[in-house]
Amino acid sequence: MPPRFSTCPADIWATMAELTPTTLRGQAIAALATPDLALKRDLTLRAGERWFARTLGLSSPSDPVLPDRPGRPDRPVLVAPRLVPKRSVHTLDGRIAMIHALAHIELNAIDLALDIVARFATQTVPRTFFDGWMTVAMEEAKHFGLLSRRLEALGSSYGAMPAHDGLWQAVGVTADDLTARLAVVPLILEARGLDVTPSLLVKLRDVGDGDTAAILEIIYEDEKKHVAIGAKWFRFLCARDRIDPARRFQELVRQCFRGEIKPPFNDRARAEAGLTPTFYRSLSPVSS
């Protein structure tokens, strides 16, 4: 059976409400920990709804223990990046592999946003910090649902192909530093999506896959907001510590990120999100 991602019936929510924690941190941990992808998505959306309705506290000593890793079903099998199926827009199998890879990215993005909320709930930051990251978590859950349904429409499902674990590795190296987490996750990993998505949209439309392109257009517009949320709070923390944000970003990238920061860069979309070239150009081994 493929991983489930449909919403829970209302009567199940009544039972779950009695069992789930009464704080945002507790509910984020519950969503992070479950291996049931339908429940993960539903708990994420429900936690966000309750947080924005201001019916949840932020944290409590009775919150569950934050897991080292997110809950996952048995599939997909995690392999080395070089063993992940090749992706291409020019064949159906290649597009399915591409959509599967994107769904895996979005699933990890749900958990990365939940982890930021849960791990840093005791930080001295404004309440609106958590508004931003619950917005991100809820939108990543939406993206995962859209891509999962697209896979099913094409005769596949999430979990049908192997995937790699590279995205979650960002958690370990930034576990004790909120500024580093913001530098690596939204300002590197998510910002990369702003660079590659426009050309991918053109290719999908050229081969007549307007349905997948429409989903990526939604994701692209949302990801601009996510990078902006990361940039806003990264700048906030640097300003509070009286540190130059571009210089601090470069220091943290060199310390915490093993990959390359390489062109092409979508300078316009990045700048609209608050990530100007002064942040990343000097980190690139080549000029675009």
Side-chain angles (χ1 to χ4, degrees):
M1 293 288 291
R4 196 172 59 90
F5 59 84
S6 59
T7 56
C8 291
D11 59 330
I12 295 180
W13 273 123
T15 301
M16 289 175 57
E18 298 178 358
L19 301 175
T20 53
T22 58
T23 67
L24 178 64
R25 181 174 185 271
Q27 293 206 359
I29 291 171
L32 184 66
T34 181
D36 183 317
L37 300 188
L39 187 57
K40 184 185 295 289
R41 180 169 175 265
D42 289 333
L43 286 174
T44 299
L45 295 173
R46 180 65 170 173
E49 290 166 1
R50 293 190 63 191
W51 174 250
F52 286 111
R54 301 308 190 222
T55 61
L56 290 176
L58 179 56
S59 65
S60 166
S62 62
D63 289 337
V65 176
L66 181 66
D68 293 331
R69 294 186 56 80
R72 288 286 186 270
D74 293 336
R75 294 183 298 148
V77 175
L78 298 179
V79 298
R82 61 185 175 80
L83 299 178
V84 173
K86 292 184 178 180
R87 305 181 288 275
S88 169
V89 300
H90 299 292
T91 66
L92 177 59
D93 286 346
R95 288 199 301 279
I96 289 173
M98 179 198 71
I99 297 166
H100 191 279
L102 293 173
H104 186 66
I105 290 170
E106 297 301 326
L107 176 59
N108 275 274
I110 300 170
D111 287 324
L112 287 167
L114 293 171
D115 186 85
I116 286 177
V117 169
R119 188 176 300 273
F120 300 106
T122 58
Q123 292 276 320
T124 307
V125 291
R127 188 182 182 95
T128 50
F129 174 88
F130 301 100
D131 291 351
W133 289 107
M134 285 311 299
T135 297
V136 172
M138 295 171 78
E139 291 183 345
E140 305 293 17
K142 176 185 70 176
H143 301 164
F144 178 71
L146 290 169
L147 292 166
S148 296
R149 287 189 288 274
R150 183 61 181 148
L151 284 172
E152 292 189 351
L154 294 174
S156 187
S157 63
Y158 177 70
M161 296 180 175
H164 68 80
D165 198 36
L167 288 175
W168 189 251
Q169 293 173 5
V171 169
V173 296
T174 61
D176 300 320
D177 188 336
L178 176 55
T179 310
R181 175 66 61 86
L182 295 175
V184 171
V185 175
L187 302 188
I188 295 179
L189 300 179
E190 291 217 57
R192 190 59 182 160
L194 302 185
D195 301 332
V196 301
T197 302
S199 62
L200 184 54
L201 284 168
V202 172
K203 292 176 183 178
L204 286 168
R205 289 173 179 139
D206 284 347
V207 299
D209 193 347
D211 290 339
T212 303
I215 293 171
L216 264 62
E217 186 69 43
I218 292 170
I219 293 173
Y220 178 65
E221 294 302 321
D222 286 344
E223 298 296 350
K224 290 180 186 178
K225 294 184 290 181
H226 301 176
V227 176
I229 289 168
K232 169 186 174 179
W233 291 110
F234 184 84
R235 289 178 180 276
F236 170 86
L237 293 174
C238 289
R240 190 173 67 181
D241 293 338
R242 299 184 179 182
I243 299 172
D244 176 76
R247 182 178 300 174
R248 184 59 177 150
F249 175 76
Q250 293 157 14
E251 292 172 350
L252 290 169
V253 171
R254 293 186 179 104
Q255 293 171 12
C256 302
F257 187 67
R258 296 180 181 177
E260 291 185 330
I261 311 297
K262 58 184 179 181
F265 298 116
N266 187 342
D267 289 326
R268 179 174 179 177
R270 284 169 170 251
E272 289 174 355
L275 189 61
T276 57
T278 55
F279 276 72
Y280 55 85
R281 285 286 178 178
S282 66
L283 295 169
S284 176
V286 293
S287 60
S288 59

